[in-house]
Amino acid sequence: MTNTQPEIRPFHIDIPQAQLDDLKARLTNARWPDELPGVGWDYGMPASYLKQLAEYWRTTYDWRGQEAELNSYPQFVTEVQGQRLHFVHIQSPEPDALPLVLTHGWPGSFVEFLPVIEPLTNPRAHGGDPADAFHLVIPSLPGFGFSGPTLEAGHANTEMYAKVVAELMTRLGYDRYGTQGGDIGSFVSPELGRIATENVVGVHVNGLLTIAEWDADPGGLDDADQQRLAALENFEAVGGYAAIQSTRPQTLAFGLHDSPTGLLAWITDLFHTFSNPAKTLPEDAVDKDLLLTNVMIYWLTETLASSTRLYKESQQWGAALTNSGVPTACALFPGDITIRSIAERQNNVVQWSEFDRGGHFAAMEAPDLLVGDIREFFRKVR
């Protein structure tokens, strides 16, 4: 009998120089809108700030250096559920390491996890206990980055993402593994626990989005949850991007697909909105080059349109989610609005951590805290 399973092929990033030259020309010839004096970020991205960031991108940022760093990690592509899937697969030098799949969010990419790769895979070399080591699988979700655009309606949703990741882990030969994710990953990781309950030993999430059932009994919430509920109810004030992406993603895509400054503004504004609220500028919270590399992934792969389709196609927004029973850890960073009572209703929460440093993009903002929390949790379930 022949094996019809799609092969797993090594992947190497090699962006043609013509694409980089085109990007530089577009940045050079950008048209800038006017802005009102003295309004800061109240109307969205200030043109004065974006001009500085775009100039740094055009003249100083080194894609080839970033490309070389990305290529220092083993990358692969395969086909799962009829969809091209790109992923990073890093095996720990520790033979008893636990497989762990890391799932990014939006507007993120596998680049989010670069700061945590080495301490998670090789704790011995980073002052940690070798017993805490992980083999890492870091997919680019369908429709994101080098996984390419989704090819048909219905493939850009958190439920499908979980099925794709579960199949990938099976194909890699991992029948026992953990999951971790934030933002969109905070939907995908628990969903993996629901559909692959016998395989997933533990679920770790940061920035868990508890947007369902919050109005069931608001009077029964404690003070901390009441504060998070107030922030959640005020989400519309900062969540206009989600309203657009869940209704008119294709219309939005024309501008962001064609204009690097438009794309930079859209993504960077989200980083400013949801990163550590104590930081003034996005680059104060997240390394500037890492932020631009994340933007570059969207630009170079032309996947902004397909990445935003998940807001239109996902069915889990606001739905009551089943508790899988899989042990779960929730990590909260400044600005997160996870409501604990809902998190505990929908998940078997065995570890709850709150930090006063970092933010929504925890792997980029406070990698040391996130790594420590992941290690602490998985010691309980290995």
Side-chain angles (χ1 to χ4, degrees), residues 80-85 103-104 106 140-145 147-164 184 187-188 191 245-247 249-250 298 303-317:
V80 181
Q81 301 273 344
Q83 173 69 43
R84 171 185 165 98
L85 187 71
T103 309
H104 65 77
W106 192 94
S140 296
L141 292 173
F144 286 77
S147 287
T150 48
L151 303 176
E152 57 184 280
H155 279 210
N157 61 74
T158 54
E159 303 96 317
M160 178 62 74
Y161 294 163
K163 292 176 183 177
V164 167
I184 302 306
F187 283 100
V188 178
E191 183 67 13
Q245 291 177 180
S246 63
T247 55
Q250 189 65 36
Y298 284 89
T303 52
L304 186 281
S306 60
S307 75
T308 58
R309 289 176 195 146
L310 76 94
Y311 286 80
K312 177 75 170 175
E313 297 185 8
S314 285
Q315 301 300 312
Q316 290 187 321
W317 312 123

Side-chain angles (χ1 to χ4, degrees), residues 15 48 60 67-68 90 106 141 154 161 164 168-169 179 194 215 218 232 238 256 259 269 288 293 320 333 379-380 382:
I15 301 300
S48 53
T60 306
E67 183 181 64
I90 305 152
W106 192 94
L141 292 173
Y161 294 163
V164 167
L168 173 63
M169 296 302 281
T179 73
R194 297 183 193 101
D215 59 348
L232 185 60
V238 295
L256 305 189
S259 167
D269 190 44
K288 186 189 296 188
T293 298
F333 293 84
R379 288 180 197 133
K380 301 178 175 77
R382 283 178 181 265

Side-chain angles (χ1 to χ4, degrees), residues 54-75:
E55 183 65 7
Y56 178 86
W57 190 12
R58 186 182 74 87
T59 62
T60 306
Y61 171 80
D62 177 16
W63 164 255
R64 291 304 185 195
Q66 296 290 314
E67 183 181 64
E69 180 181 355
L70 296 178
N71 282 328
S72 70
Y73 299 106
Q75 299 172 67

